Amino acid sequence: MHLETLHLLSFKNYLDENLRFSPRINVLVGKNGSGKTNLLDAIYYLGFTKSAFSSSDQQCITQGNSYFFIKGVFKNDSTTKEVTSTVQLGAKKIFREDSLEYQKLSEHIGKYPIVLIAPDDVYLVNEGSEGRRRFFDGIISQLDKIYLENLIQYNQALKLRNGLLKLYAERGSAVDWIAFESYDKLLSTLGDSIFKRRSAFIIEFSPVFQKYYHFLVENSESAEVQYNSELKGKTFSAGLMDVRPRDVALQRTNFGIHKDDYDFILGNEALKRYGSQGQQKSFVIAMKLAQFEILDLHKGFKPILLLDDIFDKLDDFRIARLLELIKSEFGQLFITDARPERTRGLLNHINVPSTVFNIDQGKVTLYEQQEK
């Protein structure tokens, strides 16, 4: 699968751009702040119905405008599909495939798999459990529609249950746990299913991740991702019962799969505490490469890979290892770099043709196209 063309209207710093891409390697060069990452974000948006870098759709609208529009044409073998998104202030987001509007955005997830590797990905190591859950949920949701629907319903039920806890606190009245029975039953059913799917997925994910980690660092140190859930020790219903006093005190639900985490282990120690910056970067890139391979395996075609300014963040050895994969393993690839001569030299070294675009304040021009 590859993105053939992209049309942007009022998306971030792009007022009106029509672009045609190479099915293999596309390099986006330009000064910092010129819009390279914004262009990657537009591609990401077409796959996930949301931005990778902005917390709301409104932040994606060009300043002073009231809407944005994105259109991408994807090609997979002989099949061509047009995906469009329109966001208007004060109106419902419209997302379409071949002019047919989705009634639920979740129906689109997984159709156009995209893997993004960005400098800030190290947050997966250093920040809280929410980001780690979101990473793995994002992969599983692209593979399993039932999992995605269960996750959406679980989060809705959790929000309602937490709202009820706050309502009792505001009233200052004793909690009537009978009023929670329907929420607790739904959370238990959905939570058990999500827990089982996460447990099964980590078994599939771990050896693929370990393969890439060892490839990137070329040494024998062990690296592992462990799925950590309270459901390993007790049933969901029993767990909810045990934390009722805390639920009342904190006005939120304190047991469930929304408390799960993933432990990153290097050797026998926590990566966050004992891993060097290089080890942490390698660990995260290996996870993203494992994500790529698993999506490729399940979908039967390669995802689009977005590499945002990562050559600045890697040492020469890791760059060389990653270039080996670029030459042999990936399909369509987008690379951003503030130094065109560096990327061109790296790609020439592995004898891989590329199309280079120059970006200057939201304007895109063809810089160089190599045919080999």
Side-chain angles (χ1 to χ4, degrees):
M1 180 192 75
H2 69 273
L3 177 64
E4 203 167 47
T5 62
L6 180 68
H7 182 200
L8 302 178
L9 287 174
S10 301
F11 183 84
K12 296 194 171 182
N13 68 331
Y14 291 93
L15 291 177
D16 187 356
E17 284 293 321
N18 281 284
L19 303 168
R20 179 172 292 274
F21 298 118
S22 163
R24 277 292 284 127
I25 297 178
N26 300 273
V27 182
L28 313 176
V29 299
K31 296 178 181 178
N32 292 330
S34 61
K36 303 186 298 296
T37 298
N38 289 344
L39 190 53
L40 294 189
D41 201 21
I43 299 169
Y44 184 95
Y45 199 104
L46 289 174
F48 288 92
T49 75
K50 63 181 180 180
S51 166
F53 303 103
S54 302
S55 58
S56 73
D57 288 333
Q58 185 172 339
Q59 294 174 351
C60 297
I61 299 173
T62 302
Q63 189 173 6
N65 288 6
S66 61
Y67 77 99
F68 74 73
F69 173 78
I70 309 176
K71 178 174 73 174
V73 175
F74 291 87
K75 192 166 185 179
N76 194 356
D77 296 327
S78 60
T79 303
T80 300
K81 294 285 187 178
E82 181 182 277
V83 178
T84 62
S85 179
T86 305
V87 171
Q88 179 86 35
L89 290 178
K92 172 191 173 187
K93 179 194 303 190
I94 298 174
F95 216 94
R96 293 189 174 103
E97 182 187 58
D98 284 348
S99 300
L100 297 176
E101 183 179 346
Y102 288 102
Q103 298 307 304
K104 295 191 298 183
L105 294 177
S106 60
E107 296 172 0
H108 182 74
I109 304 302
K111 286 188 174 183
Y112 303 89
I114 292 169
V115 175
L116 168 67
I117 303 180
D120 292 340
D121 286 340
V122 74
Y123 81 89
L124 289 168
V125 177
N126 296 322
E127 296 185 10
S129 60
E130 182 179 355
R132 291 184 284 275
R133 285 195 304 273
R134 187 166 57 245
F135 171 74
F136 285 100
D137 285 342
I139 305 175
I140 304 171
S141 294
Q142 293 185 78
L143 306 176
D144 189 335
K145 291 292 186 185
I146 294 176
Y147 179 86
L148 177 56
E149 287 301 319
N150 286 345
L151 195 61
I152 292 171
Q153 291 181 44
Y154 180 94
N155 287 329
Q156 289 172 341
L158 180 66
K159 183 178 180 180
L160 291 171
R161 189 181 192 274
N162 288 343
L164 190 57
L165 286 166
K166 291 177 183 177
L167 183 62
Y168 275 106
E170 289 169 0
R171 291 177 176 175
S173 57
V175 173
D176 178 9
W177 290 107
I178 295 177
F180 287 80
E181 285 183 354
S182 60
Y183 297 133
D184 290 359
K185 183 176 181 181
L186 186 58
L187 287 174
S188 295
T189 301
L190 295 171
D192 284 338
S193 177
I194 292 167
F195 167 70
K196 290 175 183 176
R197 188 66 181 90
R198 287 176 178 175
S199 299
F201 179 74
I202 203 66
I203 294 173
E204 177 184 10
F205 180 86
S206 290
V208 184
F209 155 74
Q210 289 167 354
K211 176 185 73 174
Y212 281 111
Y213 183 80
H214 291 146
F215 175 83
L216 287 173
V217 303
E218 203 178 42
N219 65 28
S220 58
E221 66 185 9
S222 62
E224 187 177 0
V225 179
Q226 298 175 348
Y227 172 44
N228 186 13
S229 176
E230 295 173 312
L231 269 74
K232 291 182 177 181
K234 62 179 66 177
T235 65
F236 209 114
S237 56
L240 285 175
M241 187 73 68
D242 290 345
V243 297
R244 280 183 175 182
R246 289 186 64 202
D247 287 356
V248 173
L250 299 176
Q251 301 171 40
R252 63 176 183 267
T253 306
N254 289 276
F255 181 90
I257 54 91
H258 59 286
K259 309 291 285 185
D260 289 354
D261 200 355
Y262 293 83
D263 297 328
F264 298 164
I265 307 299
L266 196 61
N268 295 316
E269 305 291 348
L271 177 68
K272 180 177 180 178
R273 292 184 180 179
Y274 297 99
S276 67
Q277 287 189 350
Q279 288 171 322
Q280 291 183 4
K281 291 173 186 174
S282 297
F283 200 101
V284 172
I285 291 174
M287 290 203 305
K288 294 295 187 84
L289 296 176
Q291 174 188 5
F292 182 96
E293 180 171 316
I294 289 172
L295 288 171
D296 182 9
L297 177 65
H298 284 265
K299 298 292 182 181
F301 57 88
K302 296 183 184 300
I304 295 171
L305 182 61
L306 311 178
L307 300 180
D308 187 24
D309 196 28
I310 67 166
F311 291 152
D312 261 347
K313 311 300 179 181
L314 297 176
D315 58 34
D316 291 344
F317 177 79
R318 289 175 177 82
I319 289 175
R321 301 297 276 175
L322 190 56
L323 288 173
E324 288 184 44
L325 296 176
I326 287 174
K327 186 173 183 177
S328 60
E329 299 295 327
F330 303 138
Q332 190 178 36
L333 178 66
F334 291 82
I335 304 171
T336 68
D337 196 351
R339 295 163 52 191
E341 70 285 351
R342 173 177 54 187
T343 300
R344 183 173 54 206
L346 291 170
L347 295 176
N348 285 341
H349 181 71
I350 59 174
N351 197 34
V352 174
S354 62
T355 300
V356 183
F357 298 90
N358 185 69
I359 300 178
D360 184 13
Q361 298 305 314
K363 293 292 183 181
V364 184
T365 54
L366 184 64
Y367 182 86
E368 182 181 63
Q369 189 167 21
Q370 298 174 323
E371 299 290 344
K372 293 183 180 179

